[in-house]
Amino acid sequence: MKFIEFKTELEAAKHVSEIIAKKIKSNHKINLGLATGSTPITLYKCLVEDHKHNHTSWANVSTFNLDEYYGVDYKSDASYHKFMLDQLFKHVDLKLENTHFPEPKGADFDKLIKSLGGIDLQILGIGVNGHVGFNEPGSDAHSLTRIVDLTPLTIKVNADKFFAGKMNEVPKQAISMGLASIMESKEIILLAFGKDKADAIAKLKKATTFKADFPASILVNHKNITVIYDKAAGSDL
Ligand code: PGA
């Protein structure tokens, strides 16, 4: 696992957006795994800027999101479909039929990813509790896409970030790619920004083997993963 620190989130996001734009330009077809939450917002802004100024075309890109809340209306502000549309999809020339989200029949999503050639590059965030996607502590290393229960901590964190602190408005379940699904990606870039993530990044750097109480530790077994973080997220290293 490679660890690269940038001074600021913006510098890190620009670096990753350049990597993604280069891959998009040099591949006839590319499958990108995407994340939601606060972490990738600056990255998506940089990608939209790149599309505007450098005319990188997303016409041959397919996307696969890590997760979606279970039971939400995909047009509602709570949904990750809407998040992706607002943050990225509607600002680039991506064909919406080439965007994919996990569905309640989870196994179908894993089959779909495989049938379309697998994920070339997966962007990941990390939860303060070490979750990746919504694979909460206790997740199985062999887990595939499935419906999961969110922990009270995740519900609280997401309430504060996206639901004006109203925990009762945060869906309690989600559909998430599993840890094994994520590990199938050919390349992974995990992003972490801010002091809140410092503990998780320090734990990830120390991890040597998978421990279910810190799901991100599965990534120590991946052959092509880079962890990119800002100074604040690296402050416990
Ligand atoms: P965040 O979430 O980007 O909102 O911090 C990351 C995660 O929970 O995986």
Side-chain angles (χ1 to χ4, degrees):
M1 217 179 314
K2 252 191 293 181
F3 283 76
I4 306 178
E5 181 173 306
F6 284 81
K7 219 186 281 165
T8 65
E9 172 175 345
L10 182 60
E11 284 172 39
K14 273 193 184 142
H15 174 75
V16 178
S17 75
E18 282 162 14
I19 294 174
I20 294 174
K22 199 166 158 201
K23 282 184 190 288
I24 291 177
K25 280 185 181 139
S26 59
N27 284 282
H28 170 59
K29 255 177 68 59
I30 180 161
N31 292 336
L32 290 181
L34 299 176
T36 49
S38 56
T39 304
I41 291 179
T42 308
L43 168 64
Y44 295 152
K45 281 199 173 85
C46 293
L47 287 168
V48 171
E49 282 302 303
D50 167 77
H51 173 69
K52 268 195 208 144
H53 296 116
N54 304 324
H55 312 290
T56 304
S57 172
W58 288 63
N60 294 323
V61 178
S62 294
T63 65
F64 300 84
N65 264 82
L66 278 171
D67 43 27
E68 173 58 286
Y69 287 120
Y70 180 57
V72 295
D73 174 353
Y74 294 159
K75 291 199 171 68
S76 76
D77 284 339
S79 105
Y80 287 161
H81 283 70
K82 176 82 166 34
F83 176 98
M84 289 308 306
L85 201 60
D86 290 346
Q87 299 295 332
L88 179 66
F89 294 169
K90 72 180 179 196
H91 305 290
V92 294
D93 61 337
L94 181 65
K95 297 183 190 115
L96 284 186
E97 65 267 28
N98 291 340
T99 64
H100 309 281
F101 288 80
E103 293 292 333
K105 273 178 78 184
D108 289 358
F109 192 60
D110 292 293
K111 279 187 208 141
L112 177 77
I113 295 172
K114 266 206 180 108
S115 72
L116 294 175
I119 291 175
D120 297 301
L121 172 64
Q122 174 70 56
I123 301 299
L124 283 183
I126 185 168
V128 291
N129 63 358
H131 72 205
V132 282
F134 274 132
N135 294 285
E136 299 282 36
S139 294
D140 194 292
H142 302 288
S143 52
L144 296 173
T145 303
R146 69 214 183 286
I147 296 174
V148 294
D149 295 330
L150 304 184
T151 60
L153 176 62
T154 295
I155 292 168
K156 168 88 176 77
V157 169
N158 286 3
D160 290 345
K161 284 187 182 172
F162 296 105
F163 294 84
K166 295 178 190 151
M167 284 177 69
N168 61 329
E169 288 188 11
V170 183
K172 306 296 178 281
Q173 289 185 305
I175 315 157
S176 179
M177 273 171 65
L179 293 177
S181 327
I182 291 170
M183 289 295 283
E184 288 285 315
S185 312
K186 292 164 202 161
E187 180 178 357
I188 296 175
I189 294 179
L190 184 146
L191 299 172
F193 303 125
K195 180 79 186 124
D196 287 357
K197 300 294 172 69
D199 183 53
I201 289 302
K203 278 191 185 138
L204 185 59
K205 191 149 190 199
K206 280 197 202 109
T208 51
T209 176
F210 174 67
K211 295 228 171 68
D213 63 353
F214 186 69
S217 58
I218 192 79
L219 301 171
V220 299
N221 298 323
H222 198 280
K223 298 276 181 294
N224 190 4
I225 170 161
T226 309
V227 180
I228 291 182
Y229 52 95
D230 65 357
K231 212 163 181 275
S235 59
D236 283 0
L237 290 176

